[in-house]
Amino acid sequence: MAYEPPTHTVERSLRATTGAKVIAGVDEVGRGAWAGPVTVCAAITGLRRPPEGLTDSKLLSVKRRNQLAVELETWVTSYALGHASPEEIDDLGMTAALRLAAVRALDALPVRPEAVILDGKHDYLGDPWRVRTVIKGDQSCVAVAAASVLAKVRRDKMMAELGIDHADFAFEANAGYPSPVHKAALEERGPTPYHRLSWAYLDALPQWRHLKKARSWANGRVPEIEGQLGFDF
């Protein structure tokens, strides 16, 4: 299926309206997984023509996504990745964990961006970052699409490595998302050290429910964790 290629339209708009010259595209992967970190990539691309076929990582085959990631590593001006661990997700909640991972990625760039294009409709970064949110930015914005591919490929590799000692969960195939194989292994064996233990899937597993972590928050309010998928076993 053919897709409209991403453009630099949003980046040009930010340059014109804010004067920013160094602009990073930011995207995350792993928000809805049951295991593993949430990973954020920040990519700076400038206004050059992108590699052929660049788009949202979810629209690409595994083979093409891996090929593009290799191209992008040398094509982008710079990029960096940040991660928030399952323990940090449990302790902070998803929104704060996303911000933590994103700030880690942005702080790891060799040059501090003057503006950020953030995929989605919610600004989980906030001050002091100058943020433009773009729904489906991973399809429409070059820098965000590049971040999408780099984040997905890196996290998939991480999950495959974490899964070596937990073969029944097939992390190399599902990247910690709730596939049938993952659900079956979870029901039989219980969560691995890489699972998020504050999440609602444990409510459907009576034999493992005692492992569920209660979430504590500084202000005494418990926000919902965004993006949890498929709790039915």
Side-chain angles (χ1 to χ4, degrees), residues 11-90:
E11 189 168 343
R12 293 183 190 277
S13 172
L14 279 171
R15 287 175 175 236
T17 57
T18 69
K21 294 182 179 179
V22 180
I23 299 172
V26 171
D27 198 16
E28 58 78 21
V29 63
R31 183 193 304 235
W34 287 0
V38 64
T39 296
V40 174
C41 180
I44 299 172
T45 65
L47 299 177
R48 292 171 297 144
R49 184 188 180 108
E52 188 70 27
L54 178 64
T55 188
D56 172 12
S57 64
K58 297 185 293 296
L59 302 179
L60 298 166
S61 68
V62 174
K63 179 179 179 180
R64 183 56 184 141
R65 189 164 59 228
N66 289 334
Q67 291 172 339
L68 265 175
V70 172
E71 294 179 55
L72 288 168
E73 285 176 354
T74 56
W75 177 83
V76 298
T77 303
S78 59
Y79 79 97
L81 292 112
H83 312 279
S85 69
E87 294 81 8
E88 288 170 328
I89 294 169
D90 287 335

Side-chain angles (χ1 to χ4, degrees), residues 63-159:
K63 179 179 179 180
R64 183 56 184 141
R65 189 164 59 228
N66 289 334
Q67 291 172 339
L68 265 175
V70 172
E71 294 179 55
L72 288 168
E73 285 176 354
T74 56
W75 177 83
V76 298
T77 303
S78 59
Y79 79 97
L81 292 112
H83 312 279
S85 69
E87 294 81 8
E88 288 170 328
I89 294 169
D90 287 335
D91 290 342
L92 300 173
M94 181 52 75
T95 299
L98 277 170
R99 186 178 194 278
L100 181 63
V103 169
R104 284 170 174 167
L106 290 163
D107 284 347
L109 290 168
V111 178
R112 183 179 176 88
E114 298 166 293
V116 172
I117 305 172
L118 186 62
D119 181 54
K121 63 180 180 179
H122 299 297
D123 177 8
Y124 55 76
L125 264 174
D127 293 334
W129 302 95
R130 181 185 289 168
V131 175
R132 173 79 61 85
T133 58
V134 180
I135 296 173
K136 294 188 177 180
D138 47 12
Q139 295 182 38
S140 61
C141 302
V142 170
V144 180
S148 169
V149 172
L150 290 166
K152 173 67 174 167
V153 169
R154 180 64 63 87
R155 186 180 181 279
D156 282 358
K157 183 178 179 181
M158 289 175 60
M159 291 306 299

